[in-house]
Amino acid sequence: RVRDISELDFAELREAGCHGVIFDKDNTLTAPYSDEVHPRLAGSLRRCVETFGAERVAVLSNSAGTPDDPGGVAADALEAALGVHVLRRRHKKPRGIESVQRHFQCDGTALLMVGDRYLTDVVFGNLHGMLTVHTQQLTTEGDNRVAQAMRRAEDWLVARYVRRGVR
């Protein structure tokens, strides 16, 4: 677990064999429901793109690029704002590996999944053999109540398992 993506050394990850990076959107790259990269993360996202190339960096959101985004309007706006591809798919995480495989032309085992939620982002990456990084929530401002409650439950559950020695 890291505070945010600024703690990741993308060059080292690439040297270790990582071929691409998938980011969650809300509370990982942006504040909830915002399309702009969080100010303290702009340099880190830029370094990631410089290291891997824009075609090897993508966003896998549970809002933009899903059936909740008719016509892909939110995905298009997010791509314009962030400068990376937003994967379109029919299913929300932890489903939706097909869009990842199509975009990266691989099964996912050489990819990094970065996100703030255990039961969506980390589970998605782990189910598909990815290296996963859990980030802390960027902000509670603007976050919906259901997501906040789920995050608290996930954090409690993970802390309980860690106390019992489960990793």
Side-chain angles (χ1 to χ4, degrees), residues 64-81:
T66 70
D68 292 346
D69 177 20
V73 174
D76 291 342
L78 188 59
E79 284 177 339

PDB file of all heavy atoms in Angstrom, residues 64-81:
ATOM      1  N   ALA A  64     -16.662   5.943 -16.125  1.00  0.00           N
ATOM      2  CA  ALA A  64     -16.338   6.272 -17.522  1.00  0.00           C
ATOM      3  C   ALA A  64     -15.989   5.002 -18.294  1.00  0.00           C
ATOM      4  O   ALA A  64     -15.213   4.175 -17.837  1.00  0.00           O
ATOM      5  CB  ALA A  64     -15.152   7.239 -17.559  1.00  0.00           C
ATOM      6  N   GLY A  65     -16.597   4.861 -19.463  1.00  0.00           N
ATOM      7  CA  GLY A  65     -16.303   3.709 -20.310  1.00  0.00           C
ATOM      8  C   GLY A  65     -17.136   2.477 -20.026  1.00  0.00           C
ATOM      9  O   GLY A  65     -16.916   1.428 -20.608  1.00  0.00           O
ATOM     10  N   THR A  66     -18.123   2.596 -19.136  1.00  0.00           N
ATOM     11  CA  THR A  66     -19.013   1.477 -18.810  1.00  0.00           C
ATOM     12  C   THR A  66     -20.418   1.776 -19.331  1.00  0.00           C
ATOM     13  O   THR A  66     -20.669   2.872 -19.845  1.00  0.00           O
ATOM     14  CB  THR A  66     -19.089   1.259 -17.276  1.00  0.00           C
ATOM     15  OG1 THR A  66     -19.798   2.359 -16.688  1.00  0.00           O
ATOM     16  CG2 THR A  66     -17.707   1.121 -16.650  1.00  0.00           C
ATOM     17  N   PRO A  67     -21.362   0.853 -19.161  1.00  0.00           N
ATOM     18  CA  PRO A  67     -22.743   1.158 -19.556  1.00  0.00           C
ATOM     19  C   PRO A  67     -23.343   2.367 -18.839  1.00  0.00           C
ATOM     20  O   PRO A  67     -24.323   2.933 -19.306  1.00  0.00           O
ATOM     21  CB  PRO A  67     -23.498  -0.132 -19.203  1.00  0.00           C
ATOM     22  CG  PRO A  67     -22.468  -1.201 -19.360  1.00  0.00           C
ATOM     23  CD  PRO A  67     -21.205  -0.576 -18.829  1.00  0.00           C
ATOM     24  N   ASP A  68     -22.732   2.789 -17.725  1.00  0.00           N
ATOM     25  CA  ASP A  68     -23.187   4.007 -17.040  1.00  0.00           C
ATOM     26  C   ASP A  68     -22.793   5.271 -17.800  1.00  0.00           C
ATOM     27  O   ASP A  68     -23.165   6.372 -17.394  1.00  0.00           O
ATOM     28  CB  ASP A  68     -22.582   4.097 -15.632  1.00  0.00           C
ATOM     29  CG  ASP A  68     -23.119   3.032 -14.697  1.00  0.00           C
ATOM     30  OD1 ASP A  68     -24.139   2.389 -15.033  1.00  0.00           O
ATOM     31  OD2 ASP A  68     -22.522   2.857 -13.619  1.00  0.00           O
ATOM     32  N   ASP A  69     -22.040   5.107 -18.877  1.00  0.00           N
ATOM     33  CA  ASP A  69     -21.505   6.226 -19.673  1.00  0.00           C
ATOM     34  C   ASP A  69     -22.008   6.087 -21.113  1.00  0.00           C
ATOM     35  O   ASP A  69     -21.267   5.696 -22.006  1.00  0.00           O
ATOM     36  CB  ASP A  69     -19.972   6.180 -19.616  1.00  0.00           C
ATOM     37  CG  ASP A  69     -19.293   7.244 -20.451  1.00  0.00           C
ATOM     38  OD1 ASP A  69     -19.943   8.246 -20.790  1.00  0.00           O
ATOM     39  OD2 ASP A  69     -18.098   7.053 -20.762  1.00  0.00           O
ATOM     40  N   PRO A  70     -23.293   6.412 -21.351  1.00  0.00           N
ATOM     41  CA  PRO A  70     -23.868   6.240 -22.687  1.00  0.00           C
ATOM     42  C   PRO A  70     -23.086   7.014 -23.757  1.00  0.00           C
ATOM     43  O   PRO A  70     -22.791   8.198 -23.586  1.00  0.00           O
ATOM     44  CB  PRO A  70     -25.292   6.787 -22.562  1.00  0.00           C
ATOM     45  CG  PRO A  70     -25.571   6.846 -21.102  1.00  0.00           C
ATOM     46  CD  PRO A  70     -24.247   6.991 -20.421  1.00  0.00           C
ATOM     47  N   GLY A  71     -22.723   6.329 -24.799  1.00  0.00           N
ATOM     48  CA  GLY A  71     -21.994   6.958 -25.900  1.00  0.00           C
ATOM     49  C   GLY A  71     -20.533   7.229 -25.592  1.00  0.00           C
ATOM     50  O   GLY A  71     -19.827   7.806 -26.411  1.00  0.00           O
ATOM     51  N   GLY A  72     -20.081   6.869 -24.405  1.00  0.00           N
ATOM     52  CA  GLY A  72     -18.677   7.068 -24.052  1.00  0.00           C
ATOM     53  C   GLY A  72     -18.288   8.523 -23.866  1.00  0.00           C
ATOM     54  O   GLY A  72     -17.109   8.870 -23.946  1.00  0.00           O
ATOM     55  N   VAL A  73     -19.257   9.381 -23.573  1.00  0.00           N
ATOM     56  CA  VAL A  73     -18.999  10.814 -23.434  1.00  0.00           C
ATOM     57  C   VAL A  73     -18.013  11.083 -22.294  1.00  0.00           C
ATOM     58  O   VAL A  73     -17.055  11.851 -22.452  1.00  0.00           O
ATOM     59  CB  VAL A  73     -20.327  11.588 -23.212  1.00  0.00           C
ATOM     60  CG1 VAL A  73     -20.069  13.053 -22.917  1.00  0.00           C
ATOM     61  CG2 VAL A  73     -21.221  11.425 -24.428  1.00  0.00           C
ATOM     62  N   ALA A  74     -18.235  10.457 -21.135  1.00  0.00           N
ATOM     63  CA  ALA A  74     -17.331  10.662 -19.988  1.00  0.00           C
ATOM     64  C   ALA A  74     -15.948  10.094 -20.288  1.00  0.00           C
ATOM     65  O   ALA A  74     -14.937  10.690 -19.918  1.00  0.00           O
ATOM     66  CB  ALA A  74     -17.914  10.025 -18.728  1.00  0.00           C
ATOM     67  N   ALA A  75     -15.897   8.957 -20.968  1.00  0.00           N
ATOM     68  CA  ALA A  75     -14.600   8.359 -21.321  1.00  0.00           C
ATOM     69  C   ALA A  75     -13.828   9.272 -22.272  1.00  0.00           C
ATOM     70  O   ALA A  75     -12.622   9.473 -22.097  1.00  0.00           O
ATOM     71  CB  ALA A  75     -14.805   6.982 -21.947  1.00  0.00           C
ATOM     72  N   ASP A  76     -14.511   9.841 -23.248  1.00  0.00           N
ATOM     73  CA  ASP A  76     -13.857  10.765 -24.183  1.00  0.00           C
ATOM     74  C   ASP A  76     -13.307  11.988 -23.458  1.00  0.00           C
ATOM     75  O   ASP A  76     -12.182  12.422 -23.711  1.00  0.00           O
ATOM     76  CB  ASP A  76     -14.836  11.216 -25.271  1.00  0.00           C
ATOM     77  CG  ASP A  76     -15.220  10.094 -26.234  1.00  0.00           C
ATOM     78  OD1 ASP A  76     -14.506   9.072 -26.302  1.00  0.00           O
ATOM     79  OD2 ASP A  76     -16.251  10.252 -26.919  1.00  0.00           O
ATOM     80  N   ALA A  77     -14.104  12.554 -22.547  1.00  0.00           N
ATOM     81  CA  ALA A  77     -13.666  13.739 -21.799  1.00  0.00           C
ATOM     82  C   ALA A  77     -12.473  13.404 -20.905  1.00  0.00           C
ATOM     83  O   ALA A  77     -11.528  14.192 -20.806  1.00  0.00           O
ATOM     84  CB  ALA A  77     -14.821  14.282 -20.955  1.00  0.00           C
ATOM     85  N   LEU A  78     -12.503  12.234 -20.292  1.00  0.00           N
ATOM     86  CA  LEU A  78     -11.403  11.817 -19.423  1.00  0.00           C
ATOM     87  C   LEU A  78     -10.125  11.594 -20.223  1.00  0.00           C
ATOM     88  O   LEU A  78      -9.037  11.993 -19.796  1.00  0.00           O
ATOM     89  CB  LEU A  78     -11.803  10.554 -18.656  1.00  0.00           C
ATOM     90  CG  LEU A  78     -10.854  10.083 -17.575  1.00  0.00           C
ATOM     91  CD1 LEU A  78     -10.646  11.161 -16.511  1.00  0.00           C
ATOM     92  CD2 LEU A  78     -11.394   8.797 -16.940  1.00  0.00           C
ATOM     93  N   GLU A  79     -10.243  10.980 -21.384  1.00  0.00           N
ATOM     94  CA  GLU A  79      -9.068  10.792 -22.252  1.00  0.00           C
ATOM     95  C   GLU A  79      -8.453  12.138 -22.627  1.00  0.00           C
ATOM     96  O   GLU A  79      -7.224  12.293 -22.590  1.00  0.00           O
ATOM     97  CB  GLU A  79      -9.453  10.031 -23.525  1.00  0.00           C
ATOM     98  CG  GLU A  79      -9.656   8.568 -23.297  1.00  0.00           C
ATOM     99  CD  GLU A  79     -10.099   7.825 -24.543  1.00  0.00           C
ATOM    100  OE1 GLU A  79     -10.631   8.445 -25.486  1.00  0.00           O
ATOM    101  OE2 GLU A  79      -9.921   6.599 -24.555  1.00  0.00           O
ATOM    102  N   ALA A  80      -9.295  13.097 -22.976  1.00  0.00           N
ATOM    103  CA  ALA A  80      -8.793  14.422 -23.348  1.00  0.00           C
ATOM    104  C   ALA A  80      -8.092  15.091 -22.163  1.00  0.00           C
ATOM    105  O   ALA A  80      -7.054  15.733 -22.337  1.00  0.00           O
ATOM    106  CB  ALA A  80      -9.943  15.295 -23.855  1.00  0.00           C
ATOM    107  N   ALA A  81      -8.638  14.923 -20.972  1.00  0.00           N
ATOM    108  CA  ALA A  81      -8.069  15.572 -19.788  1.00  0.00           C
ATOM    109  C   ALA A  81      -6.780  14.914 -19.314  1.00  0.00           C
ATOM    110  O   ALA A  81      -5.839  15.599 -18.915  1.00  0.00           O
ATOM    111  CB  ALA A  81      -9.092  15.576 -18.652  1.00  0.00           C
TER     112      ALA A  81
END
